[in-house]
Every structure is written in C-alpha cells, then in structure tokens.
C-alpha cells in the first residue's frame, strides 16, 4: 500500500527546515552572511519545488515500478504525476539515513 503523499512531503519539509536552521547557524558562526543567505535561498527554493510537486498529485506507486535489478536507474516519468513523484523521491535521497525515511520513497 502506498504511503500518503503527505508523509513524503512532510518528511521533506521537515528536513529542509532543519537544513535551513543548521546552515544559518553554521554560516553565522563563521561570519559568512552571504553564504547563509544563499543557503537559506536554496532551502526556500527546494521547499517551493516540494510544494509544487505536492500540488501536482504525485503518483507514488510509480516509485516502485522499476524492473528488478535497475534500482539505481529511475524510470522515466510518463506524466506530471509521475514526474512529481520522482522529483520528491530524488529530493529525499540525501536523507535516506534518517530514521523517518521510508524505502518505498527510493526512486
């Protein structure tokens, strides 16, 4: 059974909020305000991508449709719903070691 889209979206939004706080703290500690601004802008842009994908009603069933042995090769999406799912899944991969990450999200 497919996990709700909100699980993946909520997971990503929480990780991006953590990243934004961490990046700002690190940049401030190093006195690099320009870097902090860029990192905050990066997190904000990714957040908009996540929300845009959420609005496109991602087809998370698509994520499990890879043929056996092709786990490292995401299937090419056929429509906007599959593209949204792959985009969300790819954005989640840097957090695969997080305890809340679900393997069903792996692109």
């Amino acid at each position: 059974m497919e996990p709700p889209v909100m699980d993946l979206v909520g997971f990503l939004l929480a990780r991006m909020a953590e990243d934004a706080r961490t990046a700002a703290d690190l940049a401030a500690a190093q006195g690099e305000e320009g870097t902090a601004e860029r990192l905050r802008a990066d997190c904000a842009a990714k957040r908009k991508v996540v929300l845009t994908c959420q609005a496109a009603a991602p087809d998370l069933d698509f994520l499990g449709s890879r043929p056996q042995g092709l786990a490292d090769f995401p299937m090419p999406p056929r429509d906007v719903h599959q593209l949204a799912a792959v985009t969300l899944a790819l954005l989640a991969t840097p957090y695969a070691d997080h305890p809340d990450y679900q393997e069903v999200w792996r692109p």
Side-chain angles (χ1 to χ4, degrees), residues 16-103:
M16 289 173 191
E18 290 170 356
D19 286 351
R21 285 189 300 273
T22 300
D25 291 348
L26 288 172
Q30 296 173 357
E32 299 177 13
E33 186 56 34
T35 300
E37 285 301 317
R38 183 188 56 74
L39 293 171
R40 281 191 288 268
D42 181 67
C43 289
K46 287 178 184 174
R47 184 176 189 280
K48 289 177 185 177
V49 169
V50 169
L51 295 175
T52 300
C53 288
Q54 179 187 21
D59 174 10
L60 296 185
D61 285 333
F62 175 68
L63 298 177
S65 66
R66 291 180 308 276
Q68 188 74 20
L70 294 179
D72 292 335
F73 301 96
M75 296 292 292
R78 293 191 186 128
D79 60 31
V80 67
H81 309 291
Q82 291 178 353
L83 179 60
V86 169
T87 301
L88 290 171
L90 289 170
L91 286 171
T93 57
Y95 307 103
D97 62 343
H98 191 280
D100 293 335
Y101 182 85
Q102 298 179 31
E103 280 299 314

